[in-house]
């Protein structure tokens, strides 16, 4: 057995997957053979979910049946709603509230006694989780504002329905399409920390509720989720500054401040998802406030062209533009990571199902660095 230590499992192959592929040098992301550009611009989030879970894009009849099944599962129990209200009153963090909600969903699971090896049942359970997360998240935010939750609408897609439940108003086409694209862009991304966490839990044949709860927990860490929130907080700081945004970024870099949203563990060039969200940010700016788009483009131009970060393998990632896009859609800043989880749950479920088809308990080992064998001394003689 090899004794090479790979901290963080960097570069270690632990599984084979048909789900997503990343070329960090070319800036390419594909889901089951389809480029992220084609999917984001031509498919809906529901179509991408179907692709990840079933291996092919649905035809019209398949999509209609799949969408109907998701829609039927959107309602959450009164117990979940009352818990979201109590957590909102207690000023709980949104990711912690989501973690609790996902765990609670299992209490009303109609197939709770299904055989762990029945992957069809696991998929149906995963579908219920995916359908309910937007409802629970929107309810939590409504309670924080002192408002009552808004019931889901069966005539709206998952993305538009979430924005509707969040605000009580039906979003316009640009907002709905933008948010739908954002969900597609975040649906899967290889074996990142939260996906791997879900797979580890799934490898024990624990239920999918446990696996998704684990994914939420892993994503809540600041080294994984949350960068887009950091980006937006920087943009707000720029907006509130007495300096012009160009002057602000020059001063910040001179002071050695790190600007969030740049650099990625995988990509050495601009994240392809950032390119797509930059387009949507520009479109939102043309139909609303333009300053957030102007700030981000100025920062990107300054850091990449004048500071030469791209030559160093540091370029904008998906978080750099998703923060301002969500802000333009009226989404609270601390809800950005929960929205990430809302999208990525589809990928977590897909990876667990794929791994369980040829399951082997994930059990790495550690190199012992403790003391050599020591003589035991009884408590009376210590």
């Amino acid at each position: 057995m090899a004794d090479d230590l790979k901290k963080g499992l960097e570069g270690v192959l632990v599984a084979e997957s048909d789900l997503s592929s990343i070329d960090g040098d070319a800036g390419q992301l594909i889901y089951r053979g389809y480029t992220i550009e084609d999917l984001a611009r031509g498919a809906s989030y529901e179509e991408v979910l179907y692709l990840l879970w079933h291996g092919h894009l649905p035809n019209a009849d398949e999509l209609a049946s799949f969408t109907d099944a998701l829609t039927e599962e959107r309602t959450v129990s009164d117990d979940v709603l009352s818990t979201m209200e109590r957590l909102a009153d207690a000023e709980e963090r949104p990711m912690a509230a989501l973690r609790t909600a996902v765990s609670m969903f299992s209490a009303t699971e109609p197939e709770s006694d299904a055989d762990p090896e029945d992957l069809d049942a696991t998929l149906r359970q995963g579908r219920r989780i995916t359908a309910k997360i937007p409802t629970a998240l929107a309810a939590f935010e409504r309670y924080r504002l002192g408002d009552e939750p808004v019931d889901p609408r069966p005539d709206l897609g998952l993305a538009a329905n979430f924005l509707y439940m969040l605000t009580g108003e039906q979003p316009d086409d640009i907002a709905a399409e933008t948010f739908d694209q954002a969900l597609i862009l975040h649906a899967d991304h290889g074996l990142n920390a939260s996906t791997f966490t879900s797979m580890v839990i799934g490898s024990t044949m624990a239920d999918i509720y446990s696996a998704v709860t684990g994914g939420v927990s892993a994503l809540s860490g600041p080294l994984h989720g949350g960068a887009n929130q950091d980006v937006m907080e920087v943009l707000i700081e720029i907006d509130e500054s007495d300096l012009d945004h160009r002057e602000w970024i020059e001063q910040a870099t001179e002071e050695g401040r790190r600007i969030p949203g740049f650099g990625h563990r995988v990509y050495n060039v601009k994240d392809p998802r950032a390119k797509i969200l930059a387009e949507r940010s520009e479109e939102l700016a043309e139909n609303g406030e333009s300053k957030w788009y102007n700030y981000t483009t100025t920062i990107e131009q300054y850091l990449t062209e004048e500071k030469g970060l791209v030559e160093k393998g540091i370029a904008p990632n998906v978080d750099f533009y998703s923060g301002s896009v969500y802000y333009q859609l009226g989404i609270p800043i601390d809800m950005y990571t929960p929205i990430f989880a809302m999208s990525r749950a589809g990928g977590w479920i897909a990876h667990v199902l794929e791994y369980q088809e040829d399951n082997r308990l994930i059990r790495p080992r550690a190199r012992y660095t403790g003391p050599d064998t020591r003589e035991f001394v009884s408590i009376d003689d210590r």
Side-chain angles (χ1 to χ4, degrees), residues 298-347:
T298 298
I299 293 172
E300 179 179 358
Q301 181 182 29
Y302 178 75
L303 293 179
T304 57
E305 296 180 10
E306 299 188 34
K307 288 298 183 180
L309 290 189
V310 173
E311 286 75 17
K312 301 175 184 178
I314 303 173
N317 58 44
V318 67
D319 297 309
F320 185 65
Y321 276 98
S322 65
S324 58
V325 165
Y326 291 160
Y327 198 80
Q328 288 169 285
L329 292 174
I331 297 171
I333 294 175
D334 64 355
M335 290 290 282
Y336 292 0
T337 305
I339 286 170
F340 187 167
M342 183 170 75
S343 169
R344 185 59 58 82

Side-chain angles (χ1 to χ4, degrees), residues 36-267:
I36 196 64
E37 290 84 359
D38 285 346
L39 291 173
R41 293 171 180 142
S44 65
Y45 180 63
E46 284 85 347
E47 288 176 84
V48 170
L49 278 180
Y50 192 98
L51 171 67
L52 291 174
W53 292 352
H54 296 282
H56 65 275
L57 287 170
N59 60 33
D61 289 341
E62 289 171 329
L63 179 60
S65 177
F66 181 71
T67 301
D68 287 346
L70 278 170
T71 301
E72 290 173 2
E73 303 287 359
R74 286 176 176 171
T75 302
V76 300
S77 69
D78 289 341
D79 286 339
V80 169
L81 291 177
S82 62
T83 298
M84 293 300 99
E85 184 174 18
R86 289 198 299 272
L87 292 176
D89 290 343
E91 299 183 354
E92 178 62 284
R93 296 159 297 152
M95 279 298 278
L98 176 59
R99 180 190 64 211
T100 300
V102 173
S103 187
M104 285 189 70
F105 291 162
S106 68
T108 54
E109 170 53 55
E111 297 182 273
S112 59
D113 59 350
D115 187 327
E117 296 185 4
D118 183 349
L119 300 189
D120 289 334
T122 299
L123 178 55
R124 290 190 294 271
Q125 293 171 0
R127 185 184 69 212
R128 295 180 186 111
I129 294 171
T130 304
K132 294 178 189 304
I133 284 177
T135 308
L137 274 180
F140 175 77
E141 176 57 21
R142 299 281 296 179
Y143 283 130
R144 288 204 300 179
L145 296 173
D147 297 326
E148 287 299 308
V150 175
D151 291 335
R153 269 178 51 177
D155 60 318
L156 296 177
L158 190 147
N161 183 62
F162 174 75
L163 294 177
Y164 166 71
M165 291 189 296
L166 194 69
T167 65
E169 298 179 1
Q170 182 173 341
D172 60 34
D173 290 344
I174 293 176
E177 290 170 7
T178 298
F179 191 58
D180 191 73
Q181 278 194 334
L183 295 180
I184 290 171
L185 297 176
H186 288 88
D188 194 43
H189 207 246
L191 294 195
N192 52 82
S194 55
T195 298
F196 187 61
T197 298
S198 297
M199 284 176 55
V200 171
I201 295 171
S203 79
T204 72
M205 300 309 293
D207 64 47
I208 195 67
Y209 291 92
S210 299
V212 174
T213 301
V216 172
S217 300
L219 187 61
S220 68
L223 294 186
H224 188 8
N228 51 8
Q229 179 176 339
D230 296 337
V231 170
M232 197 59 227
E233 288 171 351
V234 165
L235 297 182
I236 292 173
E237 183 180 343
I238 292 173
D239 191 54
E240 296 175 347
S241 170
D242 294 330
L243 299 174
D244 174 84
H245 57 281
R246 168 76 185 206
E247 295 173 335
W248 188 95
I249 187 61
E250 290 177 350
Q251 179 174 305
T253 53
E254 288 174 4
E255 294 172 352
R257 284 190 60 174
R258 178 184 174 277
I259 306 302
F262 279 77
H264 195 280
R265 185 78 169 259
V266 177
Y267 294 110

Side-chain angles (χ1 to χ4, degrees), residues 36-37 40-41 181 185 272-280:
I36 196 64
E37 290 84 359
R41 293 171 180 142
Q181 278 194 334
L185 297 176
R273 301 169 298 174
K275 295 179 182 179
I276 297 169
L277 285 177
E279 296 172 2
R280 300 308 304 212

